[in-house]
């Protein structure tokens, strides 16, 4: 059974100033996520599922439908604020999305096979998709997951702070703990994360999550129960979010799952701020000149 690629593409790009998942970065107008799909097809993935919003669904489909037709199976699911479990309703005044855990959960009915998760606005590199595909093909248990860990110093932006899942692993590269750090900044004397006014140093080679994970379909059951629990304790808060690594952490602590961290020394890149775009375009052009990608992905 070929694995599925789940792409989280419902973000509104508030810091970027627009829908960066639809913005052109490649020489023939390619978005970043098209390079991920191209790599996934080469690695043996059989389907892609986009998590989007209804407000830009037509624009999104018109951009990708013809390009991907005949190359990979495509499906769409919608992350809307009122897409909640039975018995729960949207709090009045809530505008912030529910987080990546909710984004993954809305794909529950569309995915019945092993699957990988990525962000739409991150470039992961072809080796990441090969590693994910090979791992999913070799899994023998529903409880075996993996993630691609990138070196922290290769995932920063020159134009502001970033959020990263900081990973702790054992001697066998199995994930022990993942901690979400929401304000990481590269400074002249090192890389730090901030908690309020407190400043904490991080090792530049620390493995971090860039939301490049692989799961078995049973993970949706954990997410469903976890999201209900989250709503019960924090659902009335206007800015609370349910991130799927939170659920990974909870299940790790309960010894219900294992997560292999696949180390990557690749140069991850992505867009958080508008100023990131020229650098992303430059890096893509270098990869094209090196022969990693054609100038037009879909010709």
């Amino acid at each position: 059974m070929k694995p599925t690629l789940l792409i989280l593409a419902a973000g509104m790009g508030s810091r970027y100033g627009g829908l960066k998942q639809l913005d052109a970065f490649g020489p023939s107008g390619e978005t970043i996520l098209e390079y991920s799909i191209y790599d996934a097809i080469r690695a043996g993935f059989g389907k892609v599922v986009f998590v989007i919003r209804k407000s830009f669904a037509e624009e999104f489909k018109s951009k990708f439908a013809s390009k991907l037709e005949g190359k990979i199976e495509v499906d769409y699911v919608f992350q809307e604020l009122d897409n909640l479990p039975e018995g729960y309703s949207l709090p009045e005044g809530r505008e912030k999305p529910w987080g990546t855990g909710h984004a993954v959960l809305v794909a529950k009915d569309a995915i019945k096979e092993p699957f990988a998760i990525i962000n739409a606005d991150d470039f992961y590199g072809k080796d990441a998709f090969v590693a994910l595909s090979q791992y999913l093909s070799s899994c023998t248990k529903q409880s075996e997951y993996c993630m691609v860990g990138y070196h922290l110093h290769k995932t920063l932006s020159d134009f502001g702070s970033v959020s990263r899942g900081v990973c702790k692993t054992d001697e066998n590269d199995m994930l022990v703990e993942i901690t979400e750090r929401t304000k990481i900044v590269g400074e002249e004397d090192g890389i730090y994360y901030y908690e309020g006014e407190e400043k904490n140093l991080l090792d530049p080679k620390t493995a971090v999550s860039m939301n490049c994970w692989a799961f078995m379909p049973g993970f949706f059951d954990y997410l469903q129960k976890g999201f209900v629990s989250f709503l019960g304790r924090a659902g009335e808060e206007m800015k609370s979010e349910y991130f799927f690594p939170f659920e990974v952490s909870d299940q790790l602590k309960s010894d219900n799952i294992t997560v292999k961290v696949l180390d990557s020394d690749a140069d991850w890149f992505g867009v958080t701020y508008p100023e990131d775009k020229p650098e992303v375009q430059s890096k893509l052009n270098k990869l094209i000149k090196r022969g990693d990608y054609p100038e037009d992905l879909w010709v």
Side-chain angles (χ1 to χ4, degrees):
M1 183 181 295
K2 289 186 175 182
T4 286
L5 180 64
L6 179 63
I7 301 181
L8 306 184
M12 299 305 289
S14 56
R15 286 182 289 183
Y16 187 71
L19 296 175
K20 53 188 173 180
Q21 60 270 49
L22 295 178
D23 203 358
F25 291 87
S28 299
E30 294 91 349
T31 61
I32 291 178
L33 66 85
E34 288 178 64
Y35 289 91
S36 294
I37 296 171
Y38 184 85
D39 286 334
I41 292 171
R42 290 194 291 182
F45 284 76
K47 181 169 71 172
V48 58
V49 176
F50 294 106
V51 181
I52 58 174
R53 296 193 186 200
K54 293 177 182 177
S55 60
F56 58 77
E58 291 308 312
E59 182 182 4
F60 196 95
K61 291 179 181 180
S62 67
K63 190 170 187 70
F64 299 111
S66 61
K67 292 181 178 181
L68 300 179
E69 186 177 3
K71 298 178 179 66
I72 191 169
E73 183 182 346
V74 178
D75 200 358
Y76 304 88
V77 296
F78 302 104
Q79 184 186 16
E80 303 294 334
L81 285 173
D82 58 358
N83 190 340
L84 297 171
E86 186 175 350
Y88 291 88
S89 58
L90 182 65
E92 185 177 353
R94 171 94 190 194
E95 296 181 357
K96 190 174 185 63
W98 293 107
T100 59
H102 179 245
V104 175
L105 185 57
V106 299
K108 183 177 188 295
D109 293 334
I111 299 176
K112 304 300 180 186
E113 54 281 324
F115 67 102
I117 298 171
I118 63 167
N119 292 333
D121 53 354
D122 291 332
F123 180 91
Y124 296 97
K126 60 181 180 180
D127 291 345
F129 295 93
V130 172
L132 292 169
S133 180
Q134 289 178 344
Y135 188 86
L136 288 172
S137 299
S138 66
C139 281
T140 58
K141 298 179 182 178
Q142 280 286 322
S143 59
E144 293 180 339
Y145 307 154
C146 77
M147 61 159 283
V148 177
Y150 290 81
H151 296 174
L152 173 61
H153 70 100
K154 294 190 174 185
T155 73
L156 303 178
S157 171
D158 293 329
F159 305 104
S161 65
V162 297
S163 298
R164 300 288 181 256
V166 177
C167 301
K168 179 181 178 182
T169 58
D170 65 14
E171 65 276 8
N172 298 313
D173 294 323
M174 303 302 291
L175 185 64
V176 174
E177 183 178 69
I178 181 166
T179 305
E180 196 75 19
R181 300 299 183 192
T182 57
K183 189 178 181 181
I184 298 177
V185 181
E187 301 181 4
E188 288 186 5
D189 60 339
I191 302 173
Y192 297 89
Y193 74 87
Y194 286 80
E195 286 186 321
E197 297 300 317
E198 187 178 340
K199 179 178 178 180
N200 303 275
L201 185 66
L202 286 167
D203 184 337
K205 291 192 175 181
T206 296
V208 296
S209 164
M210 302 306 300
N211 277 0
C212 188
W213 295 74
F215 295 104
M216 303 303 282
F219 184 56
F220 287 117
D221 295 331
Y222 291 132
L223 281 176
Q224 193 157 26
K225 293 175 183 176
F227 188 50
V228 168
S229 177
F230 162 82
L231 290 173
R233 67 178 181 271
E236 294 301 316
E237 299 174 15
M238 291 297 103
K239 295 187 177 181
S240 59
E241 291 185 79
Y242 176 58
F243 299 106
F244 71 80
F246 291 173
E247 196 57 44
V248 172
S249 292
D250 287 347
Q251 299 308 321
L252 277 174
K253 291 173 184 175
S254 300
D255 291 326
N256 291 327
I257 63 170
T258 60
V259 180
K260 179 78 170 181
V261 178
L262 309 175
D263 181 69
S264 175
D265 192 31
D267 286 320
W268 167 95
F269 52 89
V271 283
T272 301
Y273 303 94
E275 295 86 354
D276 292 322
K277 184 173 180 176
E279 182 67 15
V280 169
Q281 291 174 313
S282 174
K283 288 180 176 180
L284 285 173
N285 284 329
K286 288 179 182 177
L287 291 172
I288 291 166
K289 288 179 181 178
R290 197 171 74 182
D292 287 5
Y293 302 95
E295 287 215 3
D296 189 329
L297 283 180
W298 309 116
V299 169

